[in-house]
Amino acid sequence: MGKQREQVAAILDAWRTERPGLDFSPTAIFGRITRIERYEAAALRDVYRRHEVDSGEYRVLAALRRSGPDYQLTPTELYRSVLVSSATMTERLDRLERRGLIARRPAGRDRRSILVELTPAGRGVIDRANVDMLDTQAALLDGLSPRDRASLAGLLAKLAALLEHDEATRASRT
């Protein structure tokens, strides 16, 4: 970490001085998650720029690529996969189609239903961008050993599962 003091630690020390009776351990975690996300977002903006996509377009291409051979999904499957509204998805699909990265095809006999298909050009873009993204993320983790990475990933997975369970429990009560 060097001579510069980690910002979240400074914030926590200030709060502990001002409000010594409060437990700031959640801020120690979520404050750092927020800071880490900012570093990652800045690094990934560069990746998207290099591959001439934005983060939303990347997510659509990635969803199609990981769907397996044929690389096709319905618009509904896509917007649920990337957690956006159907209107937002339509805008993204329009942009990607104009650039030749996806194609829309009728889905079998039902001419009202369509499939979104990754084109060879789109596959090339997502494959190159994905390698670049993974290299960029790995570089952000350079200071952590493989064991530290595995431990951190496990703890974050545990936290995510707890939060998702809590959210599902709240949703079932409404």
Side-chain angles (χ1 to χ4, degrees):
M1 211 161 18
K3 293 180 183 180
Q4 185 178 2
R5 187 154 181 235
E6 190 231 355
Q7 189 172 6
V8 174
I11 291 167
L12 292 169
D13 285 348
W15 273 120
R16 287 181 188 122
T17 298
E18 292 300 314
R19 300 294 309 272
L22 295 178
D23 174 13
F24 286 96
S25 62
T27 301
I29 295 166
F30 289 107
R32 288 182 175 107
I33 289 171
T34 299
R35 300 241 336 129
I36 291 164
E37 194 280 328
R38 286 184 196 153
Y39 288 113
E40 187 210 23
L44 292 186
R45 272 193 301 277
D46 291 338
V47 170
Y48 302 140
R49 183 186 41 75
R50 285 192 293 271
H51 298 281
E52 299 177 350
V53 295
D54 64 28
S55 64
E57 292 167 340
Y58 175 90
R59 287 185 184 104
V60 170
L61 296 173
L64 288 166
R65 180 65 170 97
R66 69 178 177 261
S67 72
D70 290 340
Y71 310 110
Q72 298 176 340
L73 294 169
T74 67
T76 301
E77 289 169 327
L78 276 169
Y79 79 72
R80 286 182 181 157
S81 173
V82 298
L83 305 174
V84 297
S85 71
S86 62
T88 298
M89 181 55 63
T90 298
E91 292 172 24
R92 288 180 186 171
L93 295 178
D94 288 345
R95 288 193 313 264
L96 291 167
E97 188 172 41
R98 280 192 300 272
R99 293 177 50 210
L101 302 179
I102 60 132
R104 296 177 191 170
R105 309 256 186 257
R109 294 182 189 159
D110 183 358
R111 294 177 64 195
R112 295 171 295 161
S113 180
I114 65 165
L115 288 172
V116 178
E117 176 180 80
L118 191 61
T119 65
R123 185 172 172 183
V125 167
I126 192 59
D127 285 352
R128 288 186 300 275
N130 199 293
V131 169
D132 193 358
M133 181 198 68
L134 292 171
D135 288 345
T136 298
Q137 288 175 325
L140 292 171
L141 298 172
D142 266 350
L144 297 177
S145 70
R147 185 177 184 167
D148 286 344
R149 290 180 189 197
S151 177
L152 180 58
L155 289 170
L156 291 171
K158 185 176 182 178
L159 176 59
L162 289 169
L163 295 173
E164 289 165 4
H165 177 267
D166 289 349
E167 181 179 54
T169 301
R170 280 191 303 276
S172 70
R173 290 184 199 153
T174 58

